[in-house]
Amino acid sequence: MLFSCIVAGASPCTVPVAAINQVQFQGNETTKEFVLLRELTFNIGDSVQTEQLETLLEENRKRIYNLRLFHTVNYSYTCDSGQVIVTYAVQERVYLFPIPIFDFADRNFNAWLEKKDLNRIDYGLTLIRKNFRGRNKEVRMRLQHGFNRRIELSYRVPYLAGSRYFGYEVGVADYRSHTINYNIRNNRQYFFEQEDGMPIKRTGIAAALIHRQSVQRQSALRFSYQHEEISDTITKLNPDYFNTDFTNRNYFRLDLTRAVNKRNTFAYPLTGSYFDAGIGHAFFLNNTGTGFTTARAKYVKYMALPRKFYYTIGGEAQVRLGSNFAVTDNVALGYRSLVRGYELYVVGGQHFGLFKQGLSKELLNIKGIHLKFIRNPKLNMVPLALYLNTFTDAGYTVDNTYGDQNPLTNRLLFGGGIGLHVVTFYDIVMRGEYTANREGNRGLYLNIGYPF
């Protein structure tokens, strides 16, 4: 597993049952001790079968590591007359991230490359303060200018005062753009660009109550309000964009989600499993739209094979119930969910199913490249792992509203290819993938993040 290792120095227990007498933490200069204690599945005073002790300590080491607050988490223990003293040693990350924004205004790099328009560039700054006050809180601010203008502010608290399991998150956002994707035909986006003024404006607020059993098991009840405005030109170009006579709409969303994350590491998982599901409903105000309900689910299994091979298989599905769907709500494949090989296409619809599988071979795994010219130990060790990956994806979208205009809907999509995945500093995953799809298209696509 990248970014962490086990140093389980121990004086073995000679009794069949041992008791946890003390838990110590080292290296948590910023992180409060109670934040780490909350993640443990055992308490001081618990009895443990000696043969299961190291398995228990390793499981909890992974839980602490997957908080994503530390570069490394190691453990050691001593056992004297059946009394166990456990020590977890952590190396903290840098928690203040000023991240420059220099991005393409399209869905991905290859979509931008079709236009090659240097005006379609976004720039600005994202400022993230992780582990705020040492309590695993997060403050995030985004100030973006350029082609798409965005202001966002969010605050996440994993635990309410006095609560072990409940936290909350609040946020506000304002988005404006010089261009708007006003229609999808032949599975291609059609854009309208306005030189003066902004043809699309969105403002929203959101709040969520989070039930956090552990870093691996979380549920959330989210409430959000959204106000959207478009220019008169858009309703003339496509009356179905909002599917009303209005140039604005207001709606509330209520969403209930559940995630069970048993991956060995959240950045680039190699073993374990992941499941999430959610259901939500949109309530439109003042007859500015027709309400709809969306249910979705996703499951992925990650398996280690001999000789440093790893296999991933999973599926995702969405069902959307309602009527009179607007074009802007008719979202299926091509955005967050994608059949690789169709990066240049958008496949709208109400329902979809997606299947993915991949086989990876570890080519390189360096725990840390020491940059001697940087003195800060939180920054001067750069891990690097390379994986050769081959994959196949398949998906199917059901569109009962606009399917006649888009030939890739109501049809099996299939893509596959080979890629090189680079995993490095602060959970960054970069992918270069050469793909071919059922339509005969081939291409090299560059992406960020784990593919599924």
Side-chain angles (χ1 to χ4, degrees):
M1 181 174 64
L2 192 63
F3 308 149
S4 65
C5 60
I6 305 171
V7 181
S11 52
C13 291
T14 57
V15 294
V17 179
I20 306 295
N21 184 52
Q22 187 178 353
V23 179
Q24 302 175 149
F25 297 97
Q26 296 177 353
N28 54 316
E29 298 174 2
T30 299
T31 310
K32 304 296 184 185
E33 188 170 296
F34 71 84
V35 171
L36 305 178
L37 287 171
R38 277 173 167 163
E39 296 304 318
L40 302 180
T41 60
F42 59 84
N43 297 307
I44 295 174
D46 284 358
S47 297
V48 182
Q49 295 288 331
T50 300
E51 62 183 13
Q52 298 176 359
L53 177 60
E54 292 196 8
T55 300
L56 176 68
L57 299 182
E58 167 61 8
E59 174 191 338
N60 282 271
R61 184 196 68 82
K62 290 179 180 179
R63 290 167 68 95
I64 295 172
Y65 177 72
N66 280 327
L67 289 171
R68 304 178 84 167
L69 299 178
F70 310 110
H71 284 305
T72 59
V73 180
N74 304 314
Y75 77 84
S76 61
Y77 70 92
T78 61
C79 185
D80 184 11
S81 302
Q83 300 296 306
V84 177
I85 298 176
V86 182
T87 301
Y88 284 101
V90 302
Q91 183 189 51
E92 293 187 314
R93 298 184 177 188
V94 172
Y95 297 128
L96 181 62
F97 295 87
I99 304 174
I101 298 171
F102 185 82
D103 201 2
F104 305 104
D106 298 280
R107 291 177 297 116
N108 53 56
F109 171 74
N110 295 86
W112 177 86
L113 198 60
E114 280 195 313
K115 306 176 184 66
K116 298 178 182 177
D117 184 356
L118 293 177
N119 291 320
R120 299 176 67 86
I121 296 293
D122 298 329
Y123 57 90
L125 181 71
T126 296
L127 189 63
I128 304 172
R129 179 59 165 93
K130 291 181 176 291
N131 205 13
F132 182 56
R133 299 176 60 206
R135 299 169 184 264
N136 198 20
K137 299 178 181 180
E138 181 176 299
V139 181
R140 183 182 294 261
M141 181 177 66
R142 182 185 180 111
L143 299 175
Q144 177 181 303
H145 205 68
F147 203 77
N148 299 313
R149 301 180 182 180
R150 193 186 304 268
I151 299 175
E152 297 177 357
L153 179 64
S154 65
Y155 182 54
R156 180 182 176 276
V157 178
Y159 301 107
L160 291 166
S163 173
R164 181 180 175 89
Y165 298 111
F166 287 95
Y168 69 90
E169 184 175 1
V170 293
V172 296
D174 183 82
Y175 168 83
R176 304 173 183 220
S177 180
H178 287 290
T179 189
I180 180 173
N181 165 35
Y182 69 89
N183 205 355
I184 299 173
R185 289 184 179 177
N186 295 316
N187 300 106
R188 296 284 187 151
Q189 294 176 303
Y190 282 72
F191 291 92
F192 169 74
E193 186 173 337
Q194 186 171 306
E195 292 184 6
D196 297 324
M198 303 285 184
I200 176 70
K201 301 176 183 178
R202 296 191 184 102
T203 303
I205 59 173
L209 177 66
I210 302 169
H211 181 227
R212 189 177 184 278
Q213 292 173 274
S214 70
V215 69
Q216 294 176 311
R217 291 177 170 83
Q218 300 186 38
S219 304
L221 179 63
R222 184 177 301 274
F223 174 83
S224 60
Y225 169 76
Q226 193 86 9
H227 172 74
E228 300 180 357
E229 294 182 29
I230 57 174
S231 66
D232 295 338
T233 306
I234 302 306
T235 58
K236 296 175 183 177
L237 290 172
N238 185 9
D240 293 330
Y241 184 81
F242 279 162
N243 208 9
T244 67
D245 296 328
F246 299 102
T247 58
N248 64 78
R249 65 179 192 172
N250 306 278
Y251 62 93
F252 293 103
R253 277 193 64 99
L254 190 65
D255 293 275
L256 179 64
T257 60
R258 171 69 170 170
V260 180
N261 192 340
K262 296 183 178 180
R263 298 176 291 186
N264 69 315
T265 176
F266 293 0
Y268 195 89
L270 300 174
T271 60
S273 63
Y274 177 81
F275 168 79
D276 74 39
I279 186 168
H281 188 82
F283 304 86
F284 287 86
L285 305 178
N286 303 319
N287 296 316
T288 56
T290 303
F292 57 86
T293 301
T294 304
R296 60 172 181 80
K298 175 179 178 179
Y299 179 78
V300 190
K301 180 69 176 177
Y302 310 88
M303 291 169 277
L305 303 177
R307 299 184 179 181
K308 296 186 179 180
F309 280 92
Y310 301 92
Y311 178 64
T312 302
I313 184 170
E316 182 179 357
Q318 172 185 289
V319 175
R320 179 164 287 167
L321 305 175
S323 59
N324 301 319
F325 289 101
V327 165
T328 190
D329 299 321
N330 202 53
V331 176
L333 299 177
Y335 297 90
R336 185 191 69 173
S337 303
L338 173 73
V339 176
R340 283 171 288 182
Y342 291 85
E343 281 85 351
L344 300 179
Y345 299 94
V346 174
V347 188
Q350 298 85 56
H351 322 303
F352 75 82
L354 178 62
F355 167 83
K356 291 192 175 192
Q357 64 175 344
L359 180 66
S360 295
K361 166 66 174 177
E362 182 185 291
L363 303 178
L364 178 71
N365 194 339
I366 301 174
K367 300 302 181 183
I369 301 171
H370 189 197
L371 305 179
K372 296 182 180 180
F373 59 90
I374 299 177
R375 295 185 178 182
N376 190 335
K378 298 178 181 180
L379 297 171
N380 64 9
M381 293 295 290
V382 179
L384 178 65
L386 300 178
Y387 296 90
L388 184 65
N389 177 263
T390 181
F391 58 87
T392 57
D393 296 355
Y396 192 93
T397 299
V398 177
D399 189 347
N400 297 319
T401 306
Y402 304 104
D404 293 341
Q405 304 173 12
N406 297 285
L408 295 183
T409 57
N410 306 306
R411 183 173 186 268
L412 181 64
L413 308 180
F414 181 81
I418 188 169
L420 182 66
H421 298 175
V422 181
V423 190
T424 185
F425 211 41
Y426 283 84
D427 300 336
I428 296 174
V429 180
M430 297 177 287
R431 298 164 20 230
E433 296 171 335
Y434 183 82
T435 67
N437 64 26
R438 180 180 175 179
E439 323 314 315
N441 305 132
R442 293 177 173 83
L444 177 64
Y445 299 99
L446 305 177
N447 293 284
I448 299 293
Y450 193 79
F452 201 48

